[in-house]
Amino acid sequence: MARGLMVWTLSAVAAAAQPAADLYRTHCAGCHGPNGEGSRGPALKVAALDRASDVDSLVSLLRRGVPGTEMPSTPVSTVNDPQLRALAAYVLAFRTTAPAAPTGPAGRGAELFRNKGKCLDCHRLNGEGKPLGPDLSNIGQQRDTNWLRRAIADPEADIYDSFQGYRWTISMPDNYLFVEAVTKSGERLSGSRMNEDPFSIQIRDGAGAIRSLLKSELAELKKHWGKSPMPSYKDVFSAAELNDLVAYLVSLRSTR
Amino acid sequence: MKRPALLVAALVAALVVTTAIAFAQVPYDRIRNADAEPGNWLTYSRTYNGQRYSPLAQITKDNAARLQAAWVYQISQPQKFSVSPIAIDGILYITEQPGDVVALDGRTGRPVWRYSRRPAQDNRACCGSANRGLAVLGDMLFVGTLDAHLLALDLHTGKLRWDVAVADYRAGYAITVAPLALKDRVIVGVAGGELGIRGLLDAYDAKTGRRLWRFWTVPGPGEPGNETWDKESWKTGGAPTWITGSYDPQLNLIYWGTGNPGPDYNGDARKGDNLYACSVVALDADTGRLRWHFQFTPHDLHDWDSTHVPVLFDDGARKLMAVANRNGFFYLLDRTTGEFLRGVPYGKQTWASGLDAKGRPLRLPDTEPIPSGRVIYPGFHGATNWFSPSFSPLTKMLYVAVREEPAVFVKEQQAYSPGQWFSGGNPSGVPKIEPTGSIRALDGLTGKLAWEFPLKSPPWAGLMATAGGVVFGGSSEGLFYALDASAGKPLWHFPTGGAIFANPASFLVNGRQHVAIAAGNGLFAFALPEQ
C-alpha cells in the first residue's frame, strides 16, 4: 500500500510539473507521432480535427476518450484540468494553417473547376459529379494549398499514402489504388480499389459503378502502385489559373 | 401409457445431464489428460503443450465448405475482443471488456451467468485494453484484470471466490494474459513493457490466492543476469509476460515467453544483453526457480517481444520446443536443456545475416534505431505477434500467421515517470509499402516452408489445426477461414464483419463439432448443418 501511494504521489507531482510538450510526448506521441504526423492513431497535423474544434471540445474528448476506438480516456489523476487544457492547446497548434477565406476571386476558380478542368467528370462535390476519385466537398479542411497545387500538377507525386501511419488493421484501403482485372470469362475492367481481402476485391469502375469480384473468378489482377488515373494539369492551366483553382479548393469546407 | 414413460425417461436423462453440468469439476488430471476428452477445451491452448490442436475430426477438408454459423454472441461494449474460450461439457466461458466473465450455452450462445467487475478507471493497460481468456481448475475459473488483479470465480455461478492484487497498476502493470492453471496453482504474468515496469511471473495457490512464488524476469542486484543491465536500468527493464506459456508435466517445467526490454527503442541506458527480456524461461513449477533460459533477441531495440506460446512436441526420444519469433526467425530448442538446435528465417527480416551456432543473431550493421529513423523488417509488430501458432501431430507442421510489414524505427530520449509511456522512440509505417501477410506452414523440425496462403493485410489472429486435416484462421478484414492443412488450399470462409484479434477453438456440443472465434464485437460459432 505504502509503495502504491508513493508511486501515485510521484506520478501526480510529475504530471503537475510537466509542460504540455512533455505531456504530449508521454501520453499522445506513441500513437499520434512526435509531431502530430500520425502513427497508430490519426494525424493531428491537419487543417481541422474530425472530432474537436477548440480547446473545450478537445478537453472533453480527451477526458472521455473515443469509445469504440483505441483512444483511451484521461482521468484527472493522470492529467489534471489546467494541464489537460494546456495539452489540448498544444495539440490544436499542430493544425496546418489554411487561409480562412481565399482572397482571390474564388468564382474564377469555381469556373475553372467546372469547365476547363472538367473536374466533376471524376470527382464529387456536394452531391454533383462522378465518384471516380476522392470526394472534394471538404477538401479545404483536409489539404493545404501546397499539397493541392502539387496534386493538380503532378497527381502521382502525392498519391494518398495510407501506409505511412502505423495501423492495427488496414481493412479499408483509402488510397485509390488503380487496378486492372481480367475475369476468367474474359471481361476486362479497371478502376480504383475500394476494398480488398484474401478472397475478394471491390473496384469502382470507369462508369462509377462498384464491382464486386471474387479472386477465384479472376484470370488476372494488376495493381498499379504509384500510378494515378488522373492526368497532370500542369500544361492545362496557367500559373494564375492554378492559383485561382487552388484558392477555390481551399475554400471547400464542410458546413457542419 | 407409452408416452408418459418416455417422458419420464427423458426427464431422468435431462436431470442426469443437468447434474453432470452442475457438478462439473476440472481437476488437474483432466487438463493433463485433455486428449482423453477432445470435445472440451480446458486450458488456453487446449493442452499444456501449446499446440492449439483439436483432435476433433467431424469437420474435414472434404466437408468444411458446408460450415454454417450456428450462433453469434455480441459483447455489450465495443472493445478489442481477443478471448480464446474455455469449453467444458457444452458451456463456454469467456471474458468481455472492461471486466466481465460470461458463461454461454454452447448450443445457442445464450449467456447463463455473468460476473461484472470494473477495473480502476485510471488503469494503464497499454495498447488497447484486452483480455485473452481464463484458466479453470477444480470448481474455479481464474481471470486477470486491467488493474493487475487476479480473481478466482466459482465455475458454476460466477461468484467471486478471491481477489488478489498481483502488482500495482499505477506503476504500469496490467493483466491481459489468460492464466495457466496446473497442479494446485495458477500461473499469471503481466503486461506493461511500454510503461517501464519490471516484469514478473507469479504462482498463486488456487484455493486461497496465496502467492507461492514470484520470478522476476529482470534479475535484481546480486542475482545472475543483473550484470546484463547498466546501473539502475533493471528497475524499469520491462520483459513483461503477457502471453500464456506452456507446461511439460513430466519435466515439471513451465515455459514462458518474455517481452521487450524497456525503453523499447533506446538502449543507451541499458547496455548489455538485458536478460531475461525477449527470451523463453524454463521454470520449475513447484519453486519458480529458473532451470534454463534462451534469449532470442539480446539487447532488443525493435520491440520484438518473445511473448509467444512455446509449442512443445517430441521427435523420438528428444523433447523439443518450437518458436516462430517476432524477430523473424524460427527456432527449435531442446526443452529439457534449452540447447539451441536449429534456427532459420521464416518471414521477411533485414536485421540479421543469420544465427550463430548457439542461436545468437548475427546482427547486420546500421540496424538500430536512430533519431532520423531506419527502415527495418520486421516492424515493431513483428513477423508474427502474440496470436497462437498451431502444430498438427498429423502433418508435423507448425502453422504460423506471418506479418510482412516494415517500420521506420526512430530513437528518442525519454525520461521515466511511473506508469507513463516509456518507449524511447516512435516507429511509423513506411510510405508507399502496403503491409501484407500470409499463413505459412513450416516443417516443425526444420522450419522449412511447406506451403503459404497469402493474406491481404497483416494478420492479428491465431491458428488452430484439427484432426480433420483443417487449419482455421482469421484475417484483419474479418474473414474466418478454413485451409487444407496439408496443402494450404482455402476450403471455406465466412465474412464476420469485424477485424479478428483472437485465436480459434473447437469443442463438441451435443456430439457436434463447433469452431468458435471472437471477431469484431461478436463470438461466432460454426458447425456443419445438422443431418
Side-chain angles (χ1 to χ4, degrees):
Chain A
M1 279 307 278
R3 185 169 161 268
L5 192 68
M6 192 187 73
V7 169
W8 182 85
T9 312
L10 276 175
S11 159
V13 169
Q18 268 183 318
D22 285 358
L23 285 169
Y24 178 82
R25 179 172 294 258
T26 307
H27 298 282
C28 317
C31 291
H32 294 286
N35 298 301
E37 60 274 59
S39 170
R40 289 185 194 184
L44 307 170
K45 219 173 185 171
V46 290
L49 299 181
D50 274 350
R51 301 172 194 265
S53 53
D54 55 15
V55 169
D56 284 339
S57 55
L58 186 53
V59 161
S60 131
L61 180 150
L62 292 171
R63 274 279 175 257
R64 68 169 189 271
V66 182
T69 73
E70 291 180 32
M71 175 75 186
S73 57
T74 311
V76 183
S77 56
T78 309
V79 183
N80 66 27
D81 282 331
Q83 291 290 329
L84 197 64
R85 290 194 73 78
L87 178 58
Y90 183 83
V91 166
L92 289 171
F94 283 135
R95 287 180 299 185
T96 52
T97 43
T103 46
R108 255 184 64 200
E111 162 74 18
L112 290 164
F113 181 84
R114 280 170 188 277
N115 298 325
K116 192 166 184 183
K118 296 191 172 56
C119 301
L120 290 174
D121 283 1
C122 294
H123 292 280
R124 293 282 280 179
L125 176 64
N126 296 321
E128 278 185 84
K130 282 194 190 165
L132 306 185
D135 188 314
L136 301 176
S137 300
N138 63 350
I139 192 71
Q141 238 163 296
Q142 297 161 332
R143 299 295 181 196
D144 61 18
T145 306
N146 291 337
W147 197 96
L148 289 167
R149 187 185 302 278
R150 207 166 44 237
I152 295 167
D154 184 6
E156 287 174 1
D158 267 317
I159 287 182
Y160 179 55
D161 184 357
S162 55
F163 314 131
Q164 185 148 19
Y166 231 102
R167 297 192 199 174
W168 283 83
T169 60
I170 300 174
S171 55
M172 181 91 98
D174 41 17
N175 55 350
Y176 295 87
L177 176 69
F178 184 57
V179 297
E180 285 180 287
V182 183
T183 67
K184 283 181 179 162
S185 57
E187 189 192 358
R188 294 179 166 272
L189 62 160
S190 63
S192 49
R193 179 179 67 171
M194 309 297 291
N195 209 336
E196 186 183 349
D197 67 36
F199 302 98
S200 71
I201 183 164
Q202 292 73 32
I203 296 174
R204 175 111 61 192
D205 70 14
I210 295 175
R211 304 285 302 267
S212 169
L213 302 167
L214 299 184
K215 288 182 180 174
S216 58
E217 299 166 349
L218 296 181
E220 210 182 313
L221 177 65
K222 266 195 213 148
K223 301 179 182 178
H224 294 278
W225 295 105
K227 296 284 170 210
S228 171
M230 175 164 156
S232 166
Y233 283 78
K234 201 164 55 189
D235 302 326
V236 176
F237 296 120
S238 70
E241 285 175 330
L242 197 57
N243 282 345
D244 290 341
L245 180 61
V246 168
Y248 172 64
L249 292 172
V250 166
S251 78
L252 298 173
R253 312 278 173 94
S254 130
T255 46
R256 79 191 152 98
Chain B
M1 284 310 285
K2 264 188 175 169
R3 282 179 63 129
L6 209 70
L7 192 68
V8 169
L11 272 174
V12 169
L15 208 69
V16 169
V17 170
T18 315
T19 312
I21 289 169
F23 293 97
Q25 292 270 348
V26 186
Y28 167 59
D29 278 344
R30 262 186 88 178
I31 310 174
R32 186 178 171 167
N33 301 314
D35 279 342
E37 42 182 308
N40 290 325
W41 195 284
L42 301 178
T43 185
Y44 183 68
S45 302
R46 193 185 71 82
T47 45
Y48 285 133
N49 60 21
Q51 292 181 2
R52 194 165 286 272
Y53 167 80
S54 170
L56 297 177
Q58 292 177 12
I59 300 167
T60 66
K61 65 185 169 68
D62 299 319
N63 65 22
R66 288 164 43 219
L67 279 167
Q68 296 178 344
W71 49 259
V72 184
Y73 168 78
Q74 297 273 352
I75 56 175
S76 47
Q77 295 204 25
Q79 283 277 4
K80 197 180 277 178
F81 190 29
S82 292
V83 73
S84 173
I86 293 288
I88 308 169
D89 305 332
I91 305 291
L92 301 193
Y93 301 88
I94 64 164
T95 56
E96 181 179 329
Q97 292 303 312
D100 290 9
V101 176
V102 187
L104 303 173
D105 170 9
R107 188 179 169 202
T108 61
R110 301 298 298 166
V112 292
W113 62 248
R114 173 182 296 267
Y115 166 80
S116 286
R117 174 187 180 277
R118 291 295 167 261
Q121 280 275 310
D122 55 338
N123 76 76
R124 308 289 161 84
C126 115
C127 322
S129 67
N131 185 287
R132 299 191 174 82
L134 306 128
V136 64
L137 187 65
D139 63 351
M140 284 195 270
L141 290 163
F142 305 92
V143 62
T145 73
L146 292 179
D147 51 0
H149 284 234
L150 178 66
L151 315 179
L153 305 181
D154 190 296
L155 176 62
H156 307 302
T157 62
K159 267 267 185 295
L160 182 69
R161 298 274 283 271
W162 52 256
D163 172 345
V164 297
V166 170
D168 181 357
Y169 74 86
R170 295 180 190 89
Y173 291 96
I175 299 178
T176 55
V177 64
L180 180 70
L182 52 96
K183 291 183 157 179
D184 58 348
R185 55 201 57 207
V186 185
I187 316 299
V188 72
V190 294
E194 276 66 48
L195 299 170
I197 64 157
R198 180 185 176 205
L200 55 88
L201 190 71
D202 277 0
Y204 293 87
D205 183 308
K207 285 217 163 59
T208 62
R210 187 171 63 89
R211 195 164 90 201
L212 300 173
W213 51 255
R214 165 165 291 180
F215 175 77
W216 289 103
T217 55
V218 181
E223 293 172 325
N226 182 261
E227 73 286 353
T228 65
W229 296 86
D230 241 4
K231 303 185 188 78
E232 303 289 283
S233 61
W234 61 274
K235 288 183 177 170
T236 53
T241 45
W242 51 280
I243 287 300
T244 310
S246 307
Y247 175 57
D248 183 330
Q250 260 188 342
L251 297 173
N252 196 32
L253 287 180
I254 294 167
Y255 304 101
W256 211 282
T258 63
N260 61 279
D264 306 40
Y265 311 107
N266 186 336
D268 292 353
R270 53 171 173 87
K271 293 203 170 62
D273 276 359
N274 307 139
L275 291 172
Y276 301 98
C278 298
S279 303
V280 61
V281 292
L283 306 179
D284 183 295
D286 293 339
T287 62
R289 262 191 225 117
L290 181 70
R291 183 74 61 83
W292 58 259
H293 76 275
F294 180 85
Q295 191 175 42
F296 301 95
T297 313
H299 193 68
D300 169 50
L301 293 168
H302 299 97
D303 194 13
W304 292 330
D305 296 63
S306 291
T307 43
H308 310 290
V309 177
V311 178
L312 317 183
F313 55 89
D314 299 341
D315 176 26
R318 198 148 199 186
K319 286 170 159 280
L320 302 171
M321 172 195 296
V323 172
N325 198 277
R326 196 152 145 174
N327 71 13
F329 285 86
F330 161 92
Y331 296 80
L332 190 71
L333 306 179
D334 179 318
R335 73 173 184 270
T336 310
T337 60
E339 185 195 344
F340 168 78
L341 302 175
R342 198 163 291 118
V344 289
Y346 70 90
K348 181 160 182 176
Q349 66 84 21
T350 59
W351 69 285
S353 61
L355 306 175
D356 74 12
K358 298 225 148 140
R360 197 179 167 89
L362 302 163
R363 273 198 168 81
L364 292 167
D366 304 328
T367 54
E368 71 279 9
I370 51 173
S372 54
R374 274 206 176 110
V375 175
I376 298 290
Y377 280 89
F380 71 96
H381 285 146
T384 189
N385 205 292
W386 65 268
F387 36 81
S388 293
S390 179
F391 177 83
S392 166
L394 300 182
T395 63
K396 312 262 193 261
M397 290 179 195
L398 181 74
Y399 303 97
V400 185
V402 181
R403 305 172 56 85
E404 186 169 314
E405 179 182 35
V408 184
F409 285 94
V410 175
K411 170 180 165 181
E412 291 175 351
Q413 299 299 325
Q414 191 163 34
Y416 171 72
S417 171
Q420 305 298 340
W421 196 258
F422 184 57
S423 66
N426 187 49
S428 61
V430 177
K432 307 202 191 297
I433 295 183
E434 182 171 52
T436 182
S438 58
I439 303 305
R440 291 188 181 166
L442 311 178
D443 181 292
L445 293 176
T446 65
K448 215 182 128 214
L449 182 70
W451 55 255
E452 174 180 37
F453 173 71
L455 297 172
K456 188 255 159 191
S457 305
W460 282 108
L463 301 170
M464 174 183 64
T466 74
V470 180
V471 173
F472 288 92
S475 90
S476 297
E477 304 90 12
L479 281 299
F480 185 56
Y481 50 82
L483 307 177
D484 173 349
S486 51
K489 267 198 14 223
L491 304 169
W492 167 85
H493 65 269
F494 181 91
T496 66
I500 304 181
F501 289 91
N503 293 319
S506 188
F507 48 90
L508 292 178
V509 183
N510 294 338
R512 280 173 76 212
Q513 184 180 2
H514 285 59
V515 178
I517 186 81
N521 298 310
L523 181 73
F524 290 71
F526 299 92
L528 293 170
E530 278 187 278
Q531 295 300 315

